[in-house]
Amino acid sequence: MKYESNPPDAASLMMSARSFGNYDLPSALADLIDNSIKAGAREIALTCSYKGGDPEIRVRDDGHGLTGQELRDAMRPASSNPLAERSPDDLGRFGWGMKSASFSQCARLTVISRRNGELSGCVWNLADVDAWRMGVLDADEIAALASPEVLADDGVEVIWSNCDRLSENGTLTQAEFNALIVHAGKRLALIFHRYLSGEVRGRKLILRLNNRKIDGLDPFYRDHKATQQLEAEQLEIGGRTIEIQPYILPHYSKLLPDQHDQLGGEEGFLRNQGFYVYRSHRLIISGTWFRLLRHGELSQLVRVRVDLPNALDHIWKITIDKSDAQLPAALRNRLRQIVEGLRRRSSKVFRSRGGRLDRAGTTSVWSRYARGGEVRYTINREHPVIDALLEAGNDHQKQTASTALKVIEQAFPVAAFTQDAAREPDAIHQTLTDPVVFKADLNAALPMLLLQAGGDFAALEALLRVTEPWCEAWGATEVVLKEKGWMNA
Ligand SMILES: Nc1ncnc2c1ncn2[C@@H]1O[C@H](COP(=O)(O)OP(=O)(O)OP(=O)(O)O)[C@@H](O)[C@H]1O
Ligand SMILES: [Mg+2]
């Protein structure tokens, strides 16, 4: 056998690189930020300019930068071997990120670097890469293009122009562009929250987006006193350790609406429950149960942090865009057990929010009578809503309401309930879990409750504070009252 050189066609390979991974704008930016973090950057500035419909995006860092030769090497596709061992803090793997992330968004990639005062700049233009021709900028071109910060101090500036992939149909309005940027800011706040909070590296990473500092968004809300941190667990695989740390988030009644919206994210709590997988402290996947559990209502407060070292990349099959990984078969069973235990505990958080019967100082809906070995549940006639029902209308209507309550009480489905409670208590689901519905129901009940309170706002507040179900979700109730201006903000 003899050997011939058979290299790929430059233009075709670079065009295919546009579709490596499954990048969107946030994940593409995240790949560049990974590189900046690895280079020891303290501050990273993202600048996104609309430029009359021909947008330009810059990512600038104050890391150690690259020499001219290092920059040439870094620009090369597949610049390093994915099998090479990486230092534990290295967020890279494939030697592709800077190129594939950039081409997923733009057709022209310019990188300018300053290391120990030496400036260099290189350009890949997808419209002109025949025979692997890479542009190398001279001093004047660098001076004209680079931001003043990179000219003055060591670091790297990546510039994306001809951003033809930002829109699906080729045109991008200013409003659409702004929305993309806002969305990207939110995602990055989540992806890098442990760097932004200073949890990693002993100092906070500063990340700016169009001059505004991005604050980290902790999906576990560890600062909130109602967040439950459960027992952590360490699993050994391939001689390395994976850390599993489950949390149960506060019930919505303990959160202010802003906090609730932020934690729920754009897709809400239901969608965002599950594992949050971090590779070297950087979030790669969120809100999945790896098909070990359904995205159920009762588990919507459970989020489980999983910390992977980058040495396990091959076992988890990390993808080029660092946005996906597969759960190794060796871990499946153990994780399934952990997840089952969590689901049970989370459903308790919801169910314990329900009516605790006859608690001193509160007006419950149901009363429990136990006498001489006999137990009976009745509907509390003094509850303001029940009272209003019994007092409304003419005598005939009052009589009907009273009879209705009695038949409901007598027909309480004791047998079915007992069976369910014995067989699958977690499945019983009487308590409202949806804050939007809670709010709507309260709004509907308010006029009547105000009447009961003699039309007095202070009396209304006092009534709600001790009346089910509103006293059980006081945070959410308070918000509705304040929105109406019925309680001081
Ligand atoms: N901002 C930066 N500062 C310093 N060096 C950088 C910077 N960005 C990239 N590099 C260098 O360029 C190399 C290539 O980066 P690239 O993102 O393409 O691949 P990678 O980070 O090695 O792996 P991956 O494909 O997983 O991202 C990096 O290994 C790094 O040495
Ligand atoms: Mg990289």
Side-chain angles (χ1 to χ4, degrees):
M1 184 165 60
K2 64 187 176 83
Y3 292 96
E4 295 173 1
S5 171
N6 190 8
D9 175 66
S12 315
L13 181 68
M14 290 298 242
M15 282 317 276
S16 335
R18 307 202 79 180
S19 309
F20 286 0
N22 197 10
Y23 288 102
D24 55 5
L25 177 63
S27 57
L29 288 170
D31 223 329
L32 298 190
I33 294 171
D34 283 350
N35 289 341
S36 299
I37 290 176
K38 173 62 188 27
R42 290 166 173 266
E43 199 167 326
I44 303 169
L46 314 180
T47 314
C48 308
S49 330
Y50 180 61
K51 295 205 161 177
D54 180 18
E56 180 192 84
I57 293 180
R58 293 177 178 240
V59 179
R60 174 172 48 77
D61 69 51
D62 60 358
H64 55 56
L66 298 155
T67 64
Q69 186 53 48
E70 285 167 343
L71 175 59
R72 285 171 171 80
D73 293 344
M75 291 295 280
R76 195 181 313 130
S79 53
S80 54
N81 188 331
L83 298 178
E85 187 153 340
R86 299 252 181 169
S87 64
D89 65 334
D90 192 340
L91 296 167
R93 166 59 56 197
F94 299 97
W96 260 109
M98 184 169 79
K99 287 75 69 175
S100 53
S102 302
F103 297 143
S104 75
Q105 308 299 311
C106 74
R108 185 185 174 91
L109 163 66
T110 307
V111 184
I112 293 169
S113 168
R114 184 182 191 272
R115 171 144 202 172
N116 298 329
E118 178 200 347
L119 277 161
S120 46
C122 293
V123 185
W124 279 125
N125 183 359
L126 286 189
D128 183 20
V129 279
D130 287 347
W132 298 110
R133 267 160 34 101
M134 179 181 77
V136 178
L137 302 176
D138 65 27
D140 290 342
E141 289 166 327
I142 292 173
L145 208 57
S147 300
E149 291 85 348
V150 180
L151 298 175
D153 280 307
D154 283 1
V156 163
E157 180 165 40
V158 175
I159 307 172
W160 293 346
S161 36
N162 298 354
C163 297
D164 53 346
R165 290 279 178 104
L166 283 180
S167 75
E168 274 159 25
N169 57 9
T171 58
L172 189 68
T173 65
Q174 172 92 56
E176 287 165 344
F177 181 72
N178 292 350
L180 279 175
I181 306 305
V182 169
H183 172 69
K186 287 185 186 161
R187 287 293 305 166
L188 295 173
L190 183 63
I191 293 174
F192 293 103
H193 75 95
R194 292 165 82 183
Y195 288 88
L196 295 168
S197 69
E199 188 183 326
V200 199
R201 309 197 302 174
R203 61 163 192 267
K204 288 187 180 181
L205 171 72
I206 297 175
L207 182 59
R208 290 183 203 282
L209 175 57
N210 287 350
N211 272 327
R212 277 196 40 200
K213 209 167 133 198
I214 297 184
D215 291 323
L217 172 63
D218 177 6
F220 313 109
Y221 209 163
R222 285 169 291 178
D223 287 344
H224 198 286
K225 61 181 187 323
T227 294
Q228 297 178 39
Q229 177 171 347
L230 307 181
E231 311 82 57
E233 193 158 332
Q234 299 194 331
L235 304 180
E236 297 292 324
I237 179 169
R240 310 280 173 158
T241 307
I242 294 172
E243 305 235 5
I244 316 268
Q245 171 65 69
Y247 295 90
I248 298 187
L249 265 47
H251 185 267
Y252 74 81
S253 59
K254 304 223 160 138
L255 295 172
L256 296 171
D258 285 1
Q259 298 170 330
H260 184 268
D261 290 351
Q262 201 186 24
L263 260 190
E266 286 165 354
E267 298 147 318
F269 276 86
L270 201 62
R271 183 65 202 84
N272 282 326
Q273 61 186 294
F275 290 110
Y276 283 66
V277 182
Y278 293 78
R279 172 178 176 270
S280 305
H281 302 103
R282 182 273 220 215
L283 184 65
I284 51 174
I285 313 177
S286 61
T288 173
W289 284 120
F290 292 118
R291 296 200 314 281
L292 295 172
L293 187 70
R294 249 177 356 100
H295 275 65
E297 197 130 346
L298 290 178
S299 51
Q300 65 176 293
L301 297 180
V302 187
R303 295 184 182 183
V304 186
R305 194 174 83 199
V306 179
D307 269 306
L308 308 183
N310 64 6
L312 291 179
D313 284 352
H314 56 296
I315 299 182
W316 283 78
K317 303 203 179 76
I318 301 291
T319 55
I320 281 208
D321 55 6
K322 322 280 182 329
S323 72
D324 204 5
Q326 283 170 35
L327 179 62
L331 287 179
R332 233 184 148 72
N333 275 340
R334 184 62 201 119
L335 280 191
R336 190 194 304 280
Q337 289 164 353
I338 295 178
V339 158
E340 254 315 304
L342 286 171
R343 193 184 72 87
R344 259 178 264 128
R345 291 177 72 161
S346 156
S347 49
K348 281 211 188 90
V349 173
F350 271 121
R351 293 192 307 127
S352 69
R353 306 298 313 163
R356 258 168 274 157
L357 295 179
D358 300 329
R359 198 150 45 96
T362 64
T363 308
S364 55
V365 180
W366 286 91
S367 302
R368 177 178 181 272
Y369 290 99
R371 197 174 290 148
E374 217 175 81
V375 179
R376 198 156 53 88
Y377 289 88
T378 59
I379 294 171
N380 180 7
R381 281 18 181 208
E382 263 137 49
H383 188 281
V385 173
I386 310 297
D387 181 53
L389 176 71
L390 291 171
E391 294 304 320
N394 56 30
D395 282 354
H396 174 68
Q397 284 160 326
K398 286 181 191 168
Q399 187 56 47
T400 310
S402 168
T403 309
L405 288 190
K406 281 190 193 139
V407 300
I408 293 171
E409 284 170 345
Q410 283 159 19
F412 184 83
V414 177
F417 178 79
T418 318
Q419 258 186 22
D420 286 335
R423 208 184 292 145
E424 208 182 349
D426 292 344
I428 302 174
H429 189 196
Q430 293 284 99
T431 317
L432 202 52
T433 55
D434 184 340
V436 179
V437 178
F438 178 89
K439 213 172 146 175
D441 288 349
L442 173 55
N443 265 313
L446 272 181
M448 169 184 72
L449 292 164
L450 184 61
L451 213 63
Q452 295 247 325
D456 179 57
F457 292 149
L460 173 69
E461 182 191 332
L463 176 72
L464 293 178
R465 273 186 190 277
V466 296
T467 304
E468 281 182 349
W470 307 292
C471 62
E472 293 290 334
W474 182 247
T477 303
E478 199 175 346
V479 167
V480 174
L481 291 180
K482 283 181 181 161
E483 271 175 10
K484 290 186 107 65
W486 291 6
M487 201 181 140
N488 290 335

